[in-house]
Amino acid sequence: EEAALLVTQEEVIGKELQAFFKVGAALLIIRKQALYRKEYDTFAEYCEKRWDMTSRRMRQITDGTEVCNTLREYDDDRNHGSPFGGRLPENERQVRPLTRLRDKPKQLASAWDRALSGVPEGKVTCNVVRDAVKAEGAEGTKPEKQYTIHKDLEHGKELLKQAKQELGPHFEYFADQIS
């Protein structure tokens, strides 16, 4: 009885892990065809207001799905030799490190192939995939940030200096009004 319950629960988990890719595919269609535009100005606004989904989470889902689509297409193009043997990422944890290479299909395919060959019969973990991505020369798994808090603060200080010079004696008055 315990073994049957385990099997039942594992089936639920397996189905739910695949839901990530189904949701991503639906979001990509909505975004690419701008199906949200009747009620929302942007796709990000649609995701936030309709699904209570942050922009970050939306990107994680759509980027992960695009990675899987790219790997699937790459595998189909070479299907006669099928480099992955039909094995594609099964869950979000496997996909997330690969998003670093989403715009580089050959490196992406190479990293996934490396991850699979590192565990021929075993479980492909996030760490295995992350190491394979690093081996492809893509350090880290997150895109570099364009701005840092320090740069933003420095820019703000510079703007304040300019305002003080332009406003002269009136600067203190306006500073008090906005604080």
Side-chain angles (χ1 to χ4, degrees):
E1 186 166 307
E2 194 172 282
L5 181 59
L6 176 62
V7 169
T8 303
Q9 298 312 308
E10 286 179 341
E11 286 174 358
V12 170
I13 292 168
K15 288 177 185 174
E16 292 304 315
L17 288 176
Q18 290 301 312
F20 169 81
F21 300 112
K22 290 178 182 176
V23 169
L27 286 172
L28 286 172
I29 290 168
I30 291 168
R31 183 178 73 190
K32 286 179 182 174
Q33 296 182 21
L35 301 176
Y36 56 84
R37 69 181 177 267
K38 221 174 200 179
E39 294 183 43
Y40 304 94
D41 292 330
T42 65
F43 181 66
E45 179 187 15
Y46 164 75
C47 289
E48 185 178 318
K49 290 184 177 174
R50 175 68 173 96
W51 300 110
D52 195 25
M53 184 185 304
T54 64
S55 293
R56 178 176 182 231
R57 182 67 180 142
M58 175 264 301
R59 280 190 308 276
Q60 288 171 340
I61 294 171
T62 56
D63 289 353
T65 302
E66 286 178 331
V67 161
C68 282
N69 290 343
T70 300
L71 287 173
R72 188 175 293 108
E73 289 169 14
Y74 194 87
D75 199 36
D76 287 347
D77 288 347
R78 290 156 181 73
N79 202 358
H80 304 303
S82 194
F84 313 131
R87 284 184 71 187
L88 294 170
E90 299 170 354
N91 59 58
E92 181 181 1
R93 296 284 293 159
Q94 292 173 337
V95 170
R96 196 169 293 177
L98 293 168
T99 60
R100 181 83 166 134
L101 298 169
R102 72 179 177 275
D103 296 327
K104 302 171 185 168
K106 287 183 181 178
Q107 282 184 285
L108 174 64
S110 179
W112 181 243
D113 189 45
R114 185 185 304 266
L116 291 176
S117 61
V119 289
E121 299 298 322
K123 178 118 175 92
V124 179
T125 65
C126 177
N127 288 337
V128 168
V129 178
R130 185 177 294 126
D131 291 345
V133 168
K134 285 181 182 178
E136 287 300 315
E139 287 296 319
T141 58
K142 294 181 181 176
E144 292 181 25
K145 292 182 179 178
Q146 292 182 346
Y147 303 103
T148 64
I149 292 173
H150 180 72
K151 284 182 183 176
D152 290 342
L153 286 174
E154 290 302 313
H155 181 67
K157 286 178 185 178
E158 191 59 39
L159 289 175
L160 282 173
K161 282 182 188 176
Q162 289 174 358
K164 193 171 189 175
Q165 287 175 349
E166 289 177 19
L167 294 173
H170 303 291
F171 176 79
E172 294 298 325
Y173 171 77
F174 286 110
D176 286 340
Q177 295 300 312
I178 60 173
S179 60

